[in-house]
Amino acid sequence: MKIVIISPFQFILRRGIERYTYSVSNLLAKKYNIKVIVYTWNSKKLVDWGDWHPNIKLRRVPYSRYFNKLLAQLYYKVWSRYDNPDVILLNFLYHGELCLPSKFKFMYILHSPASQVPGRYIYIQKHVKKFKKIEFIAVSKMVRREAVTYLGKYKIAVIYNGVNIDSFGFAKPNKSTVLKLVTLSALEKRKGIQYLIKAMNLLKKESIEYNIYGD
């Protein structure tokens, strides 16, 4: 099986979308022996994600200060016809993706709720008809619930973002150990950090420490 994932800012930004692309690419390639091809944009200063599995091929649109989208449209057309993937995963729809041949099967990953980026959903709603075979994947029930308003006639599955627990080590607890909780995320109300803060205030336990990292 061959999958194309389009992630324009993979080597430009280090956000959740790019982390998702890196993680899911390596998982599909390593665990399921799927050939993954990532279409992305080049940059003068590249984000270092570490190792990519040998089954993953990176195709980079040449760097351009002002014409990345136009170049991407040209390269996406040529690459997709040459690669002929079984499915194409989309993270966006307005960075050159509309030029892709409609004959392919597409899966659009909905990363953000409509209440946060309503303009993005209006754009998707307006242009999604171009694709004959497209389904949506929401990363949470909240994202799906809000997406239905705009994309109700399409299939929207929920697949939560995973965590590779092999990447973390935990100390064995004992009676004198302080339990440390960590939240690492954007400091947005929808993340629910305020509820943990209130819970900590109610517990008033010195044996629990809550660390908040974010922006």
Side-chain angles (χ1 to χ4, degrees):
M1 186 177 185
K2 188 188 299 182
I3 294 178
V4 162
I5 304 177
I6 300 183
S7 180
F9 307 106
Q10 190 64 41
F11 293 97
I12 301 173
L13 302 172
R14 191 187 294 274
R15 304 172 301 179
I17 290 175
E18 289 73 35
R19 167 59 62 181
Y20 168 89
T21 298
Y22 175 74
S23 299
V24 79
S25 297
N26 279 285
L27 179 65
L28 292 173
K30 181 180 180 180
K31 188 171 182 179
Y32 300 101
N33 198 34
I34 293 174
K35 184 175 181 180
V36 179
I37 307 170
V38 178
Y39 295 176
T40 185
W41 297 358
N42 222 337
S43 175
K44 283 187 174 181
K45 188 176 181 181
L46 300 176
V47 171
D48 182 11
W49 288 100
D51 295 331
W52 295 79
H53 191 275
N55 272 3
I56 300 173
K57 184 175 184 63
L58 301 173
R59 295 197 186 280
R60 302 182 189 182
V61 176
Y63 172 77
S64 172
R65 187 174 181 182
Y66 301 110
F67 304 106
N68 286 68
K69 181 177 177 179
L70 291 175
L71 282 174
Q73 291 175 338
L74 173 63
Y75 279 86
Y76 290 171
K77 281 183 179 179
V78 175
W79 287 343
S80 61
R81 287 187 169 93
Y82 176 80
D83 293 324
N84 193 30
D86 297 289
V87 63
I88 297 178
L89 267 62
L90 303 172
N91 290 300
F92 301 100
L93 208 59
Y94 41 83
H95 294 300
E97 294 84 358
L98 287 176
C99 75
L100 291 161
S102 60
K103 67 175 184 177
F104 294 112
K105 179 179 179 181
F106 294 89
M107 303 191 80
Y108 191 113
I109 314 301
L110 300 170
H111 295 275
S112 304
S115 56
Q116 184 180 9
V117 285
R120 183 180 303 176
Y121 279 83
I122 293 172
Y123 189 91
I124 297 170
Q125 184 185 47
K126 182 178 179 181
H127 295 282
V128 71
K129 297 175 184 177
K130 174 190 181 298
F131 302 102
K132 296 177 182 178
K133 295 178 287 184
I134 188 167
E135 297 178 5
F136 292 86
I137 297 174
V139 300
S140 72
K141 290 182 179 178
M142 174 187 177
V143 170
R144 183 188 184 280
R145 184 174 64 251
E146 295 191 5
V148 168
T149 303
Y150 300 87
L151 306 167
K153 70 176 185 178
Y154 295 93
K155 180 180 179 181
I156 307 176
V158 176
I159 301 178
Y160 299 102
N161 285 329
V163 175
N164 183 4
I165 59 174
D166 294 331
S167 299
F168 301 91
F170 299 91
K172 292 183 178 180
N174 56 59
K175 291 183 179 180
S176 61
T177 299
V178 174
L179 176 63
K180 295 185 178 182
L181 307 177
V182 172
T183 293
L184 175 60
S185 72
L187 302 183
E188 300 170 353
K189 184 177 180 180
R190 67 186 180 91
K191 303 285 186 180
I193 297 170
Q194 65 274 20
Y195 300 121
L196 278 170
I197 294 174
K198 290 179 180 178
M200 290 291 295
N201 188 50
L202 291 172
L203 288 171
K204 298 186 184 300
K205 288 190 176 182
E206 295 182 358
S207 59
I208 303 177
E209 178 183 306
Y210 182 32
N211 299 278
I212 303 171
Y213 307 142
D215 194 1

